[in-house]
Each structure stands twice: as C-alpha cells, then as structure tokens.
Amino acid sequence: MEERGSPDGDPARSLEQGPEGPETPIQVVLRVRPMSAAELRRGEQSALHCSGTRTLQVSPPGGGPDVAFRFGAVLDGARTQEDVFRACGVRRLGELALRGFSCTVFTFGQTGSGKTYTLTGPPPQGEGVPVPPNLAGIMQRTFTWLLDRVQHLGAPVTLRASYLEIYNEQVRDLLSVGSPRPLPVRWNKTRGFYVEQLRVVEFGSLGALMELLQMGLSRRRSSAHTLNQASSRSHALLTLYVSRQTMPPGDSGEPPVGGKLCFVDLAGSEKVAATGSRGELMLEANSINRSLLALGHCISLLLDPQRKQSHIPFRDSKLTKLLADSLGGRGVTLMVACVSPSAQCLPETLSTLRYASRAQRVTTRPQAPKSPSPMAKQPQRLEIEILQLQEENRCLRSQLGQIDPKASRLSGARVAWAQRNLYGMLQEFMLENERLRKGQSQLQSSRARAQDEQRVLAQQVQELERRLLCACYRHQPHPGPAPSCPCVMAPPPPCHALPPLCSCCHLCPLCRAPLAPWACACRELHLPQVFGPKAPGGVPLSAQPPPWAPPCDPGSAKCPRERSPSDWSQTRVLAEMLMEEKVVPSAPPLPVGPPDTSPVLRGGAAVPNLARRLEALRDQIGSSLRRGRSQPPPSEATRSPSRVLPPC
Ligand code: ADP
Ligand code: MG
C-alpha cells in the first residue's frame, strides 16, 4: 500500500504551539459522501475505503494496488454533519479568528461531490424553508459555536459579515441592497487584495447571521445538470469579521484585535461532456474550470521550495486573488476536500485527492495583527466609537419603532401645540410692547401739555397778582396822581404783607429795577394800608423802611433803623412763593391702571390749585376794585392770607 500526501508534522499541533511560530501547513480533511440513490440504482460500485480516521484507500478499477492518501481527517459517508464539524478543526480556526488571525475554510472537489452540502447542508427545499438542524453544515454550526463563544468571552466583540460570489469572473455582492452588480477587486499594501464597495453587515445575534446566510444562498447562482440538480455555478465567499477589545480597555495595553473567518464554497470542476452542459451552463463551466486551474497552478508553485524567488500568479483569477492570503500569506487555512465514492467518478476523485495532498504541503506564516503604532491606534479607536454609535443608533431606531403610533401622533400634536403657543406668546409680547410704547409716548405728550398749561396758568397768576397789587396801590390815599410804578412788571409779593412796590432810594427788591423818586418822597403814602397806621412793633409804618430795601447807613436820616433779618426772609419767601408753581420734570410714571386708561401726571395736582388760586385772585381784584370805589381798603384783621390766596 502506497501512502501519499502525508504532511510533515501535525498542522493542528503546530497551530497550538503558537500561531506566530514556524510555517504552518494548510490543514486538509477529506469527506467522502455516501453513494446516492441514483448511483446505487445504476449499480455503481464504491472505489474508496477508509482505513482508520486519517487514511483513505483507493482501489483502481483495473485491479492494481491500492493507493493510500493520508489527511488530517478522513470522514466517510457514515459520518454525520455534526461529526464533520467536530472533526474538521474549524473550531480552532474560530478561536484563532477571535485572537485576530485571518482564517479560511474552503471546500474543494468535483461537482456533485458534496461541497455545498458539507458547508451549508442540503439545498433549500423551498423558499424560506430552513435546513433541518441535524443536516446543518459546518457554517451554521460554526456560527452557533462562535456566537456562544463570544458571549462567554467577557469582552466586547463586534461581529460583521460579508457574502460575495465569483460568477463568470465577476464579483457580485450577495448582501447588496439592490440587485448584485460587479464589484472591482483592488490591492493595497496594508489590506492586500480586497473587494471595493462590498457591503459588510454588522450583526448581533445568530438569527441575524442566519438570515444573512439565507439571503446569500437564495441569490447565489445554481443550475441543474446531469451530476447535480442544484449545482453551484459560482464560488461563494462568506466572511465573518471579528473585532475584539480586550478587557479592561486600555489597561492591558493590548490593542483591539480584528480577525476574520472566511467560508469558501468553490464551484466544482466539471467535465462538460460528463455534465452535458450547453450554452450558458458551458460558459459557466469553462469559467469555473479556469479559475480552479489558476488555483491549482498557484498551489503547485507554492510547493516549490524556491517559491520565495518565484512569482505566484494570484492575479490570474479573482478566486486566487481573494485566496492569496489564505494560501501563501499570513492566514490559517483549512481545506475540506470532497469526493464521490462512485467508481464512475474515480478519475476526478483521484485528481482531487492529489490536489488535496499537494495542498496540505503548502505552508503559510500565520500572523496576528501587530500592535498598532499610536498613530494607527487612533483610527481603530474611532472605528470602535463609530461602531458603538451605530449600535446606539440602531437601539434608538428600534425604540422609535416600538413606540405606539398613537403615542407618537400624540407627541407630534403636543409639539405642534407648543409651537403654536410659543408663537402666540411671542405675538402677545410684541403687541403688549407696542401698547406700552404707545402709552409711554402718550404719557410724554400729556406731560408736555400739562407743563405748558401750568406755565400759562402761572403767568396768568403772576399777571393777576401784579394787577391786584397795582389796584391796591391806586386806591391808597396819596397826593397827586400816582405815577405808575417803574417796577410794576416785577412780580410783587402776593400776600397782604406785601411791602410797597418801591423803596425810597433803591432798587426794586424783586426785579432790581431802579425805583421812581415819588416813592422816596412820600413813602408813607406808598405803604399799603393792610398793615394799618402802625406796624406791629409800635413804630409808625411811614417811619419804617420797607423790608426789602437794602440796608442803609445806620447814621443816615433816611435809614431810621436797622433792617431785621426777618424782613429779608419775608421778602425772600414772598418771591419764592411766586415762583414755586413749577412742575419738576421727572421720569414718566408707570401706568398703574388698565393700559387704556389715561396715565395720571405726577405733579398734576398743581394745576387745579393754580386754577383755584387764579379764581381767588380774580375775586380779590374784583373786590378791591369795588372797595376802591366805595370803601376804604380792608384792614389786616379782616384779610387773612388764607382767604386771599389758596394754599399752594
Ligand atoms: P457540490 O456542491 O459539490 O456540487 P452538493 O453539495 O450540491 O455538491 O451535493 C450534491 C448532492 O449530493 C446533493 O443532492 C446533496 O444533497 C447530496 N449530498 C452531498 N453530500 C451528501 C452527504 N454527505 N450525505 C447525503 N447527501 C449528500
Ligand atoms: Mg456546490
């Protein structure tokens, strides 16, 4: 028995020893599907026999010696989907992805050999009909395991997914919002090959991820041909992106790590003659075979010990571009080779086995992302922040969606009401301001009017007082015609204690005009009789100087006595009394009543007083004139100041 393809060392163990360690070979497991009902009906024989858990024996149809192939694991047709999941080592890749490594699982083999079945279970039995749990493939089981693992990590992990297919050498987004359209494959130094504008969807639950898987599966191209009723016509790549922030953030010094786990369901190589493909199917088959050929070529070159010097033509196809990192770069790769047991498929089975045997001698240098520099940390931090904000945004959107539509209508009405009220309040304030402005201007104009009125009244009062004094004077008994007082225009004191209008040799005390000489010669005649023939002090009034006269020389005959201070103060008081009816301007009063009532003027009470006083003066003048014609002037005792002038 010939045993071929046994790799040096155990790849699983080499990964356990440390992903940063030596070169790690691609891990290959073999799955042999059971004989199908159709094959059994046709009486086909199995050409494959499993020996132990890692060796497969192939019996050539011509009866030659068996050929043995050794892989990481060999799983025959009796093994369940769960057995395959547990034995293939995909969980190790999941762990490595959580630690930041880039990991790939891909199925490889002839069309109809069970690649899609191994990864995702049997083809859908109807639209939206899920795969029975016992038949779920490696992908669904890994999803379940990974999300459970993430929950027990104790560190925040962000999970995202993308799903694309390479159909006729065009990359199409299976998760695109609209219908899939060709996307370009680009390359740069940091990212290597990548698909531009590929939609990457964040998810937080197993259900959400399963929905994404179903969406992609339903959009993927598949057709029926002789060997497979649901043959995949494209290579499909579903990638899970794991972003993890170690706990506590920042304390451990570990940067956030981002790994990925990619599941690749390759379209099967097919002999067009065997599948009977025509037209579009044939074109698809050619495209599939070309990309698989490019993949085989790359693997052959990667096996070359001098490969570091040689050029690996990853750019020959979209498939090899996107698998470049998994095959020859820093990734960790698992290949699940699928074969049919039927002797009718032996040539393709042998080709697959040889291919897989060579692949497991290909090594990669797995590398976790290095600690980013402080400059590089910033974008990562920002990315985490963006993710957190996106999460918050999603929560808020869902909360909004949960709000009862009635309640939202209510709150809308409340907002409208508040807006209306605010505008209403604003308008009211504006109107009130306008009213206040009008009131203030009315107030100012009425105050000006009142001041004018007061001024006129005060002038009238003065004029009347002067007339009164003149009338009093004219009716005094004195020789000869009394000349008009030169200071008659001066405001005389308004009360009964008025002194004569002029003095013997001096100026008028009020207007300071020079007094006439007649007043000096007969000054006793000028004295008003209101004091009577004698003054209160016993001195004849004729002998007394007028109280407003300036002090005379004490020795002079014209100055019989010293003027007392009370004389001066009396004069001053009299003068002030005439001038005091003045409204002192003040600040406009605040309206105390309703806005449309007329404001009350401060100091406005003086106007009626003046009017009353004017009236009293008119009476006084009238009575003086009457007395002048018929009777002597009234004595001091009969005229009190309060009766002559009303109090101011
Ligand atoms: P491939 O993807 O390699 O072209 P499929 O996965 O579509 O092949 O499988 C082809 C057919 O074989 C399908 O009908 C599938 O249900 C069936 N099949 C494949 N593997 C198994 C298996 N291990 N057990 C039962 N049926 C299988
Ligand atoms: Mg398939």
Side-chain angles (χ1 to χ4, degrees), residues 205-461:
S205 67
L206 180 63
L209 181 55
M210 292 296 187
E211 278 179 21
L212 294 176
L213 174 66
Q214 285 304 318
M215 180 181 175
L217 285 176
S218 65
R219 295 171 83 173
R220 190 182 171 192
R221 299 288 182 108
S222 67
S223 297
H225 57 66
T226 312
L227 295 181
N228 191 350
Q229 289 304 303
S231 173
S232 315
R233 310 312 289 166
S234 65
H235 309 298
L237 286 80
L238 186 146
T239 309
L240 300 180
Y241 304 88
V242 184
S243 304
R244 183 177 164 194
Q245 172 74 53
T246 50
M247 290 291 283
D251 288 350
S252 63
E254 276 189 64
V257 289
K260 65 178 183 181
L261 181 54
C262 182
F263 298 89
V264 184
D265 183 13
L266 294 178
S269 57
E270 62 183 68
K271 279 185 179 167
V272 174
T275 56
S277 299
R278 298 280 181 277
E280 193 182 8
L281 276 181
M282 194 169 71
L283 284 175
E284 290 168 359
N286 287 338
S287 178
I288 292 165
N289 286 340
R290 228 184 358 258
S291 60
L292 289 175
L293 199 65
L295 179 64
H297 187 47
C298 288
I299 289 175
S300 297
L301 289 172
L302 285 168
L303 284 171
D304 186 349
Q306 302 299 318
R307 69 180 186 194
K308 282 179 185 168
Q309 282 78 39
S310 58
H311 168 70
I312 311 295
F314 288 119
R315 291 179 182 268
D316 279 3
S317 72
K318 299 271 171 62
L319 177 66
T320 45
K321 281 179 184 177
L322 296 179
L323 291 180
D325 206 37
S326 309
L327 296 172
R330 296 169 299 179
V332 183
T333 304
L334 166 67
M335 174 195 272
V336 182
C338 297
V339 290
S340 164
S342 171
Q344 301 292 321
C345 299
L346 194 57
E348 286 78 21
T349 300
L350 282 171
S351 172
T352 301
L353 291 171
R354 286 192 203 102
Y355 205 91
S357 295
R358 296 174 74 178
Q360 65 186 342
R361 285 190 280 131
V362 173
T363 56
T364 58
R365 282 186 178 274
Q367 273 182 10
K370 292 240 180 303
S371 290
S373 64
M375 289 296 287
K377 278 181 185 174
Q378 195 68 12
Q380 278 185 332
R381 218 173 291 137
L382 288 174
E383 194 183 355
I384 289 169
E385 205 171 314
I386 288 168
L387 290 174
Q388 285 171 347
L389 287 171
Q390 281 175 341
E391 177 63 27
E392 191 181 340
N393 196 347
R394 203 173 39 252
C395 283
L396 289 170
R397 276 174 196 276
S398 69
Q399 282 173 11
L400 266 179
Q402 284 165 4
I403 290 174
D404 183 17
K406 273 186 187 174
S408 71
R409 274 201 300 276
L410 252 179
S411 73
R414 217 170 280 150
V415 167
W417 176 87
Q419 280 178 346
R420 271 202 311 277
N421 271 15
L422 280 177
Y423 282 121
M425 280 167 68
L426 191 63
Q427 279 179 335
E428 276 179 22
F429 283 141
M430 286 166 64
L431 288 173
E432 193 177 340
N433 281 355
E434 192 57 34
R435 271 202 305 273
L436 286 173
R437 253 184 249 121
K438 275 184 187 165
Q440 194 181 14
S441 71
Q442 279 175 359
L443 207 65
Q444 284 170 344
S445 63
S446 63
R447 190 176 62 172
R449 272 200 309 276
Q451 284 175 339
D452 289 346
E453 206 173 322
Q454 257 186 325
R455 248 192 319 274
V456 169
L457 284 172
Q459 284 170 0
Q460 286 181 358
V461 167

